[in-house]
Amino acid sequence: GQMNLTSPQNVQVDIINTNFTLRWTWNSENDFSVTFSAQYQRLFEDYEEAVIEETDWKEMSGCQNVTVMECDFSSAMTDYLYSYNVRVRAEQGEEKSPWSTTLFFTPYLKAKIGPPGVHLKSINGVVEINISSPEENLSRRMWTSDIIFTYNAVFWENSSNAEPKSRTLERRNKIYDLAPRTTYCLKVQAHITSERKVGSFSPVYCIKTTDKARILAYPINLEIHALNMKFLLTWDNLYDQNVSFTVQQLIGYLMSLPEDYSNNWTTVSGCENITITQCDVSSDIYHLGTYFFRVKAMSGYNKSHWSNEIKVDPCVVNEIGPPNLTVSSSEDSLRIQLIPPGESENKSMSEFYDLSYRVLYWKNSSDAEEKIKEEQQLLFIISDLTPLTWYCLKVQAFSPVYKKNGHFSDAICIKTLNGKDSPLSIFMAFVIAMFASLILASFCIFSIYHISRRIRYTFFPSCKPPSNIEDRFGSGQPFSIPYLSTSEEPTENCCIIESIVIEETNQTDIKEYKHSKQNSRDSGNYSNDDDTSGAKVLEEMLEQEAA
Amino acid sequence: MSILSFLHICLVLHISTKISFVDCNMFLFQQNKVNQDSLKLLEKMGGQFPVQCLNEKSNFISLQNLFSSTEFQKENAMMVIQEILQQSFTIFRKIQIQTDWDRSSIAAFQNGLYQQIELLKTWFDGEKKMETTYPQNEDLTRLKVKKYFHVIDTFLEKRQYSRCACEIIREEMRRCFLFIDQLTKRLKKGKQKIEP
């Protein structure tokens, strides 16, 4: 047809949750016979978001022959994570305008968060605020997981001119500290911070608080005290009469789910109908995850409401106890051996934290300054200390990651050893060594003298042996050898080898004897027994002769 | 252009390390524990992978492959972790109704995840308020993870949460946690650019 119709301008898409609206403008005069129709195509992208394929243009349901300049096309959209192209044209009878410029969009990125649901309840002076996510109970969802929302509330007292206050709300809240018979108003918005998505506000809701309950007061000021992962829940005692208490626990994540969790509260074992205002709740706490606790008071048939819930983040709320330590000292250093906190109770804090240790030490005198040493290891050595001085020290464990300082151990004082001991003992050792070498030297001199005397007797005898002795030993060779061998080898050596040989030689007496005779000087040991006896005979004879 | 984008990265890193350095460290320290714990719990909740499900076909592109060619910034890595934690938390909420897996293991698993999801929310609260620039490819990265879980979701729905379908997803979740573990360790090492 004729191109008299101009194409629509400023095409835009607005998405709130899964409600898609297409809007545009058209310049021509109001002409009620003009209608508009839109088309779309799905784009297929690869994992790098590059468009690899596009479908044919399809007519957009909900946006055909519309007379106003907007239309709802929610039913045409199926994949919110993938991209689309849309275009609009004006139509008048057979005449059609050219297509508008194509608008490209990815539904998820374009979508805005709708208002959350707010439910208020006022019971006994307490206001309960329950929030439902923007798409609760809907089958089509833009926000597939409703735990990603944080809820921001703006609230004010209706009758006063006070500035509205803003605070973050959980999914379920109990507001305790409100004035009775006063009207409060609030509006809530959901947002996803990490995605920079801020939702629209809910309508304003108002509620009037009632008078405080006249029944037994519920326990207040719940506190959790934790040391080395041992958790103690305490609360205030407000009661004159005999009251017993029951503590319940809830696994943290349930509080944020839309499902009713009231049946998931479990009574903590050992904390049922107790009469004291504290209870050990460690048994139901694992170090990962969060937990809620609440307490109820009972007196006869009189029961209080459940207290305000207290949230427990185990590793954050826990305090680190002191480490165990053993200290030993030398003259100029201290050696500190640590055992991580909780290890003696089989719950070592090093399992839960990135522990480092800090030692504070000081001279045990009034004006001494403290010194600090930090270490990741369990062994500290503090050196360069003054000998014979009292030092005191205490140690704490700390976690840099959790920004947590543990409790200090009790101060331990220890005296360094006497530093003068050391040169004295060196001197003593020197003196002993001197003595020892003196004795050794005199022994050597003595034995040299003795041996030389024997040599003189043998080789330079003052008189010749009688001729009958010379005959008895034949060639004369045997009796010169034993003398040489004994003079060259220390007598101690002879003794040791003798004792070994004796056992063996019992049977082969004769053989051994022969063997020694044939051998050279080196193996003369074997025959020492016989030779020395021979030598003794010789000596006796020499003496007799000398006499 | 490349110098500009480099400056941009430096600026973002400078801001983020200065303001939420410690909180990020605590998150990563705890995440490391949650990763180990989740892998154990995933194993424990349903035991061994059933033999009769071995023939069932599933061809998910793994997260490792999804990010194999991309380098991403610290903040994007944190975002990927957040997205995986949120999505797997939601998947298990749907799955647990359909299976006879050990309830207390599932509860412990979800409780650990939820604590981290909340921690990340606070971390991002501080982070985004200070931010003046937009991290590169943020949307693209987020969409990638969302699409991956969308495939898983459709798979479960098509098979009407059959036992084998759930088992296959449990196995797939183990792979997810191995991937988060890699990311966590790299972030802990303080690498400013993550190269999977």
Side-chain angles (χ1 to χ4, degrees):
Chain A
Q2 271 298 91
M3 294 294 179
N4 284 338
L5 287 174
T6 54
S7 27
Q9 306 286 310
N10 305 322
V11 180
Q12 65 174 71
V13 166
D14 289 314
I15 311 166
I16 293 170
N17 297 339
T18 54
N19 302 319
F20 291 71
T21 312
L22 188 66
R23 291 191 171 89
W24 59 90
T25 57
W26 197 57
N27 281 341
S28 302
E29 302 300 308
N30 283 348
D31 187 340
F32 296 108
S33 60
V34 173
T35 59
F36 302 91
S37 291
Q39 284 189 335
Y40 73 98
Q41 65 178 172
R42 242 302 294 275
L43 306 175
F44 291 93
E45 296 116 341
D46 62 8
Y47 281 110
E48 299 305 318
E49 298 296 297
V51 176
I52 49 171
E53 198 193 326
E54 39 195 56
T55 62
D56 292 333
W57 286 97
K58 289 180 206 162
E59 299 204 325
M60 197 183 249
S61 65
C63 294
Q64 298 303 308
N65 307 315
V66 290
T67 50
V68 287
M69 279 182 280
E70 64 171 61
C71 57
D72 185 318
F73 66 105
S74 310
S75 58
M77 296 287 109
T78 47
D79 297 312
Y80 306 140
L81 301 173
Y82 296 86
S83 307
Y84 292 87
N85 279 334
V86 287
R87 60 184 186 182
V88 197
R89 70 178 172 190
E91 295 164 347
Q92 191 173 36
E94 286 301 298
E95 203 180 331
K96 289 172 174 64
S97 76
W99 287 107
S100 67
T101 48
T102 302
L103 178 73
F104 167 89
F105 72 99
T106 309
Y108 187 85
L109 300 178
K110 192 107 191 166
K112 290 176 184 149
I113 307 166
V118 179
H119 311 275
L120 299 177
K121 230 199 239 173
S122 173
I123 316 160
N124 303 318
V126 180
V127 169
E128 276 182 38
I129 308 168
N130 288 333
I131 296 167
S132 51
S133 68
E135 292 180 302
E136 198 139 319
N137 302 321
L138 294 179
S139 54
R140 278 164 63 100
R141 285 180 173 207
M142 181 64 70
W143 325 108
T144 47
S145 83
D146 51 14
I147 51 158
I148 59 177
F149 296 114
T150 23
Y151 299 99
N152 180 41
V154 177
F155 60 99
W156 61 93
E157 216 185 292
N158 203 19
S159 51
S160 82
N161 294 321
E163 277 284 291
K165 286 174 196 160
S166 173
R167 72 177 261 191
T168 305
L169 288 182
E170 303 290 324
R171 246 193 114 94
R172 294 156 208 276
N173 310 268
K174 275 184 183 172
I175 313 293
Y176 283 77
D177 44 0
L178 296 173
R181 277 175 285 162
T182 314
T183 305
Y184 291 91
C185 295
L186 87 167
K187 54 179 184 178
V188 186
Q189 68 180 157
H191 56 101
I192 311 173
T193 325
S194 56
E195 299 180 34
R196 294 185 189 75
K197 283 183 188 289
V198 179
S200 45
F201 272 106
S202 70
V204 173
Y205 293 85
C206 294
I207 194 159
K208 194 177 177 186
T209 53
T210 58
D211 280 322
K212 296 245 188 261
R214 285 172 188 273
I215 57 167
L216 194 64
Y218 52 81
I220 57 163
N221 289 339
L222 267 68
E223 273 177 35
I224 200 98
H225 305 271
L227 184 66
N228 288 351
M229 290 291 176
K230 219 168 139 46
F231 297 88
L232 195 69
L233 181 70
T234 64
W235 54 92
D236 286 359
N237 193 359
L238 313 159
Y239 312 95
D240 301 327
Q241 67 263 56
N242 280 340
V243 168
S244 66
F245 304 95
T246 296
V247 181
Q248 286 197 331
Q249 180 239 39
L250 181 77
I251 293 185
Y253 74 95
L254 292 171
M255 195 76 112
S256 307
L257 298 186
E259 295 91 355
D260 180 22
Y261 59 84
S262 52
N263 290 331
N264 292 87
W265 284 97
T266 52
T267 302
V268 179
S269 59
C271 301
E272 198 173 1
N273 289 324
I274 51 166
T275 49
I276 47 169
T277 58
Q278 61 176 54
C279 194
D280 185 342
V281 294
S282 318
S283 61
D284 290 40
I285 293 181
Y286 183 59
H287 69 281
L288 297 173
T290 53
Y291 299 87
F292 287 93
F293 289 93
R294 63 179 188 182
V295 190
K296 186 182 201 164
M298 285 154 291
S299 172
Y301 293 110
N302 223 347
K303 279 180 190 171
S304 78
H305 288 287
W306 284 107
S307 70
N308 203 354
E309 293 112 11
I310 183 173
K311 187 180 178 179
V312 177
D313 198 334
C315 287
V316 174
V317 79
N318 179 55
E319 289 177 24
I320 303 168
N324 279 334
L325 57 153
T326 42
V327 188
S328 55
S329 66
S330 71
E331 64 274 1
D332 66 345
S333 71
L334 294 178
R335 189 176 182 280
I336 307 156
Q337 181 68 53
L338 300 171
I339 299 169
E343 190 133 303
S344 50
E345 301 130 50
N346 285 328
K347 254 189 187 176
S348 174
M349 290 305 108
S350 55
E351 280 174 38
F352 310 114
Y353 298 100
D354 54 320
L355 288 189
S356 290
Y357 298 90
R358 184 179 294 132
V359 171
L360 245 66
Y361 63 99
W362 62 93
K363 260 186 203 171
N364 196 11
S365 58
S366 54
D367 57 335
E369 52 163 344
E370 285 182 341
K371 285 182 180 169
I372 300 173
K373 197 174 157 100
E374 287 177 6
E375 204 73 73
Q376 275 183 304
Q377 283 88 2
L378 291 164
L379 180 69
F380 275 80
I381 292 178
I382 300 172
S383 42
D384 298 328
L385 301 178
T386 327
L388 265 181
T389 312
W390 280 95
Y391 280 92
C392 291
L393 59 93
K394 52 184 183 177
V395 190
Q396 72 175 163
F398 67 100
S399 154
V401 158
Y402 284 88
K403 290 192 269 184
K404 231 173 218 313
N405 284 330
H407 295 193
F408 270 109
S409 65
D410 290 336
I412 286 183
C413 296
I414 192 166
K415 197 181 182 184
T416 46
L417 299 179
N418 191 347
K420 283 159 199 159
D421 272 358
S422 163
L424 189 76
S425 58
I426 292 169
F427 177 73
M428 284 294 282
F430 179 73
V431 170
I432 289 164
M434 278 278 281
F435 260 100
S437 51
L438 260 170
I439 289 163
L440 197 75
S442 51
F443 179 75
C444 284
I445 290 162
F446 175 75
S447 41
I448 287 166
Y449 167 76
H450 194 76
I451 289 161
S452 62
R453 234 182 66 174
R454 288 204 172 182
I455 290 168
R456 241 192 339 199
Y457 267 131
T458 317
F459 295 103
F460 315 103
S462 48
C463 52
K464 280 202 167 184
S467 58
N468 60 337
I469 292 167
E470 256 180 303
D471 289 346
R472 200 167 147 187
F473 282 92
S475 62
Q477 182 200 20
F479 77 90
S480 65
I481 289 165
Y483 261 93
L484 278 172
S485 64
T486 42
S487 69
E488 279 179 15
E489 289 177 42
T491 44
E492 287 93 337
N493 275 357
C494 296
C495 290
I496 294 161
I497 292 160
E498 251 176 60
S499 64
I500 300 163
V501 172
I502 284 166
E503 286 174 10
E504 293 172 357
T505 48
N506 280 341
Q507 292 169 315
T508 55
D509 233 349
I510 303 156
K511 230 177 161 183
E512 280 293 323
Y513 185 75
K514 254 193 193 162
H515 172 78
S516 68
K517 294 274 163 183
Q518 286 160 0
N519 256 328
S520 65
R521 273 178 7 189
D522 293 18
S523 53
N525 311 341
Y526 288 89
S527 53
N528 263 0
D529 210 6
D530 303 272
D531 288 341
T532 39
S533 59
K536 269 181 191 160
V537 175
L538 181 71
E539 243 181 270
E540 272 167 33
M541 285 179 168
L542 284 170
E543 271 165 355
Q544 276 175 1
E545 224 181 81
Chain B
M1 183 60 209
S2 63
I3 291 171
L4 264 179
S5 64
F6 176 73
L7 281 174
H8 159 95
I9 291 167
C10 290
L11 187 67
V12 172
L13 283 172
H14 177 71
I15 291 169
S16 52
T17 47
K18 209 174 173 183
I19 283 139
S20 53
F21 182 69
V22 178
D23 284 337
C24 180
N25 276 352
M26 179 191 154
F27 169 79
L28 291 173
F29 182 82
Q30 216 159 268
Q31 186 57 44
N32 199 34
K33 287 185 181 293
V34 169
N35 294 337
Q36 305 308 317
D37 211 59
S38 300
L39 284 167
K40 275 184 213 152
L41 288 168
L42 279 168
E43 181 94 45
K44 199 183 155 200
M45 64 176 74
Q48 293 248 306
F49 187 81
V51 190
Q52 66 265 34
C53 299
L54 284 172
N55 295 327
E56 298 253 342
K57 286 224 171 84
S58 65
N59 38 3
F60 309 123
I61 179 163
S62 71
L63 281 168
Q64 270 97 338
N65 289 339
L66 213 53
F67 291 109
S68 60
S69 57
T70 353
E71 289 184 354
F72 47 93
Q73 292 166 240
K74 174 190 162 198
E75 182 155 317
N76 275 358
M78 295 287 275
M79 191 254 290
V80 167
I81 294 177
Q82 185 198 33
E83 201 59 47
I84 297 175
L85 292 178
Q86 283 172 353
Q87 299 282 353
S88 33
F89 181 86
T90 310
I91 290 263
F92 267 84
R93 259 174 75 195
K94 292 179 193 164
I95 283 187
Q96 64 151 338
I97 315 163
Q98 317 285 337
T99 59
D100 57 351
W101 293 340
D102 176 41
R103 287 269 172 274
S104 66
S105 300
I106 299 181
F109 172 77
Q110 287 185 296
N111 206 22
L113 292 197
Y114 192 74
Q115 183 188 26
Q116 291 301 91
I117 291 169
E118 292 227 296
L119 256 180
L120 264 180
K121 269 189 201 168
T122 16
W123 185 78
F124 272 113
D125 271 348
E127 199 78 353
K128 298 286 172 187
K129 267 176 208 153
M130 305 311 301
E131 211 166 64
T132 49
T133 50
Y134 218 82
Q136 283 183 322
N137 301 327
E138 192 191 54
D139 290 338
L140 191 145
T141 312
R142 190 180 290 282
L143 274 182
K144 265 190 191 181
V145 187
K146 282 191 184 291
K147 281 176 185 173
Y148 165 81
F149 278 96
H150 181 65
V151 171
I152 286 179
D153 233 27
T154 336
F155 171 84
L156 281 167
E157 262 156 37
K158 269 188 185 157
R159 306 213 175 187
Q160 296 173 325
Y161 291 86
S162 70
R163 185 182 176 215
C164 283
C166 291
E167 288 289 352
I168 286 166
I169 297 309
R170 184 163 66 103
E171 198 55 36
E172 190 62 25
M173 288 300 107
R174 278 170 50 79
R175 257 174 249 154
C176 276
F177 275 91
L178 289 172
F179 176 69
I180 303 185
D181 199 41
Q182 282 180 10
L183 279 188
T184 316
K185 284 185 177 136
R186 290 212 172 98
L187 281 168
K188 265 181 99 176
K189 270 187 209 157
K191 276 195 174 182
Q192 300 195 326
K193 273 197 164 188
I194 318 288
E195 298 143 50

